[in-house]
Amino acid sequence: MARIFTVSFIHRGLSHNAMVAVRTTPFFTEYTISIFDDLLASLLPNNKVLSTSENSFTFSDSTDANDAQLMNDVLRAIAEHVHHMQS
């Protein structure tokens, strides 16, 4: 069964929201992100974050051309939500 949650994050002084769908496989957990701001979404490598352990979150296929600060802001929001739910 898929889970869905929302996260809020601050990027460059502005607050943003994203919806996140979770899919668990035997090898990793996949988080599919829906950011409602098309410009922000276009700065990310894609809408998939993978986690192989509870402390490891990474965008699949990221490159130096992507906005590293935005990726970190989104990853931090997802990690905080996941860790809060596990507490």
Side-chain angles (χ1 to χ4, degrees):
M1 172 170 47
R3 291 181 323 151
I4 298 174
F5 60 88
T6 59
V7 293
S8 297
F9 59 95
I10 304 293
H11 179 66
R12 296 189 179 171
L14 298 174
S15 180
H16 300 280
N17 296 304
M19 186 170 55
V20 182
V22 182
R23 182 176 71 98
T24 304
T25 74
F27 307 104
F28 56 84
T29 303
E30 178 184 80
Y31 299 88
T32 302
I33 303 164
S34 297
I35 296 180
F36 305 112
D37 181 326
D38 290 338
L39 176 60
L40 274 186
S42 72
L43 299 174
L44 295 172
N46 55 45
N47 67 338
K48 303 289 184 196
V49 170
L50 303 178
S51 176
T52 55
S53 71
E54 68 181 47
N55 294 318
S56 171
F57 296 87
T58 185
F59 276 92
S60 61
D61 303 326
S62 63
T63 68
D64 290 340
N66 302 118
D67 187 327
Q69 184 61 51
L70 176 59
M71 289 190 299
N72 288 333
D73 294 340
V74 171
L75 293 174
R76 187 177 309 109
I78 293 171
E80 287 174 2
H81 178 86
V82 170
H83 290 138
H84 176 73
M85 294 305 295
Q86 292 175 347
S87 298

